[in-house]
Amino acid sequence: MSILSPRVTQRGGRIEPTGPARIVGGAALLLTAFFTLSLMVPHLLFEARGVLLLPMALGGGAWIGWRTAADVSGEGRVAAALRGIRAALYLGVWILAYGGVQAMLFRAVYGRYRDPLMALTDVARLAVELAVPVARPDVIVTLFLGGVLSAILAEWTARRWR
C-alpha cells in the first residue's frame, strides 16, 4: 500500500490518518512555521539568528504537522481546531527552544561559560529571553491561526480521501 492510498485504518476505535492527510498537515504547518519565523526574526536576539534557524523551524513544523496536526480523529472541526492549537503550541516551543540552543552555542564559542552545566541551564533562560520580545499579537495570531487551519485542512483531506 502506497503512502497516497485513500484507505483509512481503524485501531482501537480511533481512525488513523491517511497518507494525504499527513502530507497536507505537515506541509500546512511547515508554511505556518515559515510565516511565523519571518515575523519573529526581526525581534530575536542577534545570537539566535543563525543559519540553521530557518531549516530547523521548517523541519520541526513539518514533523509536528505530520505527527500532531494530521492526527485525524473524525470528530469534526472543533476537535481538529484543538489539535491545531496543540500543534501550534508545540511549534512555538520548538522554535524558541532551538533559538535558545543556538544562542547558547554562539555564546559558548566565545567562552562566556565556566562549565558545561552553566551553558545547559542557560538554554532555558535564553529561550524565555527570546519569548519576551516575540510575544507580539501578530506572531501569536499567525502561529495559532496557521496551526488551526492546518489541522482543519488535514481533517478535510482525510474525509475527502475516504
Side-chain angles (χ1 to χ4, degrees), residues 75-160:
E75 296 173 1
R77 291 186 182 145
V78 174
L82 293 175
R83 277 193 317 278
I85 290 172
R86 188 177 68 210
L89 183 65
Y90 290 164
L91 180 62
V93 168
W94 171 260
I95 291 173
L96 291 175
Y98 184 74
V101 168
Q102 192 163 347
M104 183 271 301
L105 290 173
F106 183 85
R107 291 178 181 192
V109 166
Y110 289 105
R112 296 195 182 163
Y113 300 115
R114 291 185 307 245
D115 56 357
L117 184 62
M118 186 178 174
L120 289 177
T121 55
D122 200 37
V123 171
R125 186 188 65 80
L126 287 169
V128 170
E129 195 175 308
L130 289 173
V132 172
V134 298
R136 300 166 36 96
D138 56 346
V139 174
I140 293 171
V141 167
T142 302
L143 181 65
F144 285 102
L145 188 63
V148 167
L149 289 177
S150 66
I152 289 174
L153 193 60
E155 180 84 22
W156 178 82
T157 304
R159 286 185 182 186
R160 176 77 175 95

Side-chain angles (χ1 to χ4, degrees), residues 1-6 18-23 66:
M1 181 162 53
S2 76
I3 193 168
L4 295 176
S5 172
T18 60
R22 285 191 181 264
I23 292 171
W66 181 277

Side-chain angles (χ1 to χ4, degrees), residues 4-120:
L4 295 176
S5 172
R7 294 186 180 180
V8 176
T9 59
Q10 184 173 4
R11 296 183 182 144
R14 195 172 139 203
I15 298 173
E16 292 292 322
T18 60
R22 285 191 181 264
I23 292 171
V24 167
L29 209 63
L30 181 137
L31 288 174
T32 300
F34 176 76
F35 290 123
T36 302
L37 192 64
S38 68
L39 291 173
M40 289 172 77
V41 165
H43 307 290
L44 290 177
L45 296 173
F46 172 73
E47 295 97 357
R49 296 182 199 176
V51 176
L52 291 179
L53 185 60
L54 180 64
M56 288 299 288
L58 295 181
W63 179 69
I64 292 168
W66 181 277
R67 298 291 302 160
T68 306
D71 190 17
V72 178
S73 64
E75 296 173 1
R77 291 186 182 145
V78 174
L82 293 175
R83 277 193 317 278
I85 290 172
R86 188 177 68 210
L89 183 65
Y90 290 164
L91 180 62
V93 168
W94 171 260
I95 291 173
L96 291 175
Y98 184 74
V101 168
Q102 192 163 347
M104 183 271 301
L105 290 173
F106 183 85
R107 291 178 181 192
V109 166
Y110 289 105
R112 296 195 182 163
Y113 300 115
R114 291 185 307 245
D115 56 357
L117 184 62
M118 186 178 174
L120 289 177

